[in-house]
Amino acid sequence: EPEVTQTPSHQVTQMGQEVILRCVPISNHLYFYWYRQILGQKVEFLVSFYNNEISEKSEIFDDQFSVERPDGSNFTLKIRSTKLEDSAMYFCASGDDRVGTGELFFGEGSRLTVL
Amino acid sequence: DAKTTQPNSMESNEEEPVHLPCNHSTISGTDYIHWYRQLPSQGPEYVIHGLTSNVNNRMASLAIAEDRKSSTLILHRATLRDAAVYYCILRDMDSNYQLIWGAGTKLIIKP
């Protein structure tokens, strides 16, 4: 069964450093998403991406965040200058429709720890 | 904010059916009802979704009330591996069809 893969599974970084989280979505999907989950809290939407551009972003997704699909297969989330409060699980997801008729497939997540 | 209301937690015995309720009283005609679950230390996993009619798949059944203001996820024979947090989510035009997550229902399966 096709799956979404994420790397790294866990990254520890110092505050102020840049971090790139990588995702390989399911190959024929067109819609890509990043979510995050702070330990013990709800899953939060960060950004959606379609046709090589951001289609929607939440208030959390400020100027320190960026997404890119550099080579047609990978989908990356960059955090430019990490803060302590960026520590969370980051989940990538992909789907083949936008309006709710289909499912999203999630990766296992990348745990980011900012010290 | 999430537009659904679910109990914080439920307990069930292994190998018995489980009925997980969800209220969505503000649902509109084009809103899809989605269920996802999150096993401990894993990413969310799709379970089932529906619009108006009841739905069945290999994982579960979804029973949707006639007025669509509530739904019930049915696990026909729960196993220990079904212990997870179950999220009922409306994908609607107001939220641009994004998944807006609530706190979900933590399902505890007793052996």
Side-chain angles (χ1 to χ4, degrees):
Chain A
E1 188 169 315
E3 59 180 16
V4 175
T5 57
Q6 291 186 240
T7 54
S9 56
H10 188 193
Q11 180 152 0
V12 181
T13 190
Q14 296 291 324
M15 191 169 55
Q17 295 296 304
E18 177 180 284
V19 162
I20 297 176
L21 306 179
R22 292 182 169 80
C23 169
V24 179
I26 293 172
S27 61
N28 62 338
H29 284 177
L30 301 176
Y31 299 90
F32 312 111
Y33 307 82
W34 283 101
Y35 292 83
R36 80 170 185 190
Q37 187 174 32
I38 296 170
L39 185 63
Q41 297 188 23
K42 300 175 187 178
V43 177
E44 299 173 292
F45 167 73
L46 289 179
V47 65
S48 59
F49 193 85
Y50 169 71
N51 202 25
N52 284 320
E53 61 182 24
I54 291 173
S55 48
E56 191 171 358
K57 59 184 180 180
S58 71
E59 292 175 353
I60 303 168
F61 193 89
D62 61 20
D63 290 345
Q64 69 163 150
F65 291 93
S66 62
V67 289
E68 195 177 37
R69 195 146 192 256
D71 56 12
S73 61
N74 290 289
F75 180 48
T76 62
L77 174 68
K78 182 190 291 186
I79 309 174
R80 252 179 285 279
S81 178
T82 50
K83 298 178 279 194
L84 294 176
E85 54 265 38
D86 294 328
S87 295
M89 283 290 288
Y90 289 82
F91 296 106
C92 172
S94 71
D96 58 7
D97 96 278
R98 189 184 73 84
V99 296
T101 59
E103 61 188 281
L104 292 191
F105 292 79
F106 284 80
E108 290 297 308
S110 293
R111 178 175 299 283
L112 176 64
T113 302
V114 182
L115 302 176
Chain B
D1 287 347
K3 296 184 176 181
T4 60
T5 306
Q6 299 177 254
N8 290 333
S9 66
M10 290 183 65
E11 286 190 3
S12 180
N13 294 317
E14 194 177 10
E15 303 203 357
E16 289 186 358
V18 179
H19 290 236
L20 296 166
C22 180
N23 287 319
H24 27 79
S25 58
T26 60
I27 194 169
S28 64
T30 56
D31 297 349
Y32 284 85
I33 303 161
H34 282 245
W35 283 81
Y36 282 76
R37 71 180 185 180
Q38 189 174 21
L39 279 65
S41 302
Q42 294 192 27
E45 175 186 30
Y46 168 82
V47 178
I48 200 166
H49 77 279
L51 184 60
T52 56
S53 304
N54 294 344
V55 185
N56 299 296
N57 67 19
R58 63 177 176 81
M59 287 181 71
S61 296
L62 176 60
I64 301 173
E66 201 168 323
D67 63 4
R68 300 186 72 235
K69 294 185 176 183
S70 65
S71 60
T72 302
L73 179 71
I74 303 165
L75 307 180
H76 294 287
R77 202 160 156 265
T79 70
L80 294 176
R81 288 174 297 178
D82 291 319
V85 180
Y86 287 78
Y87 299 95
C88 169
I89 302 170
L90 296 187
R91 289 190 79 178
D92 66 352
M93 197 184 307
D94 287 346
S95 60
N96 208 20
Y97 301 102
Q98 298 303 337
L99 294 176
I100 307 297
W101 304 76
T105 297
K106 182 175 183 178
L107 178 62
I108 298 164
I109 305 295
K110 296 181 288 184

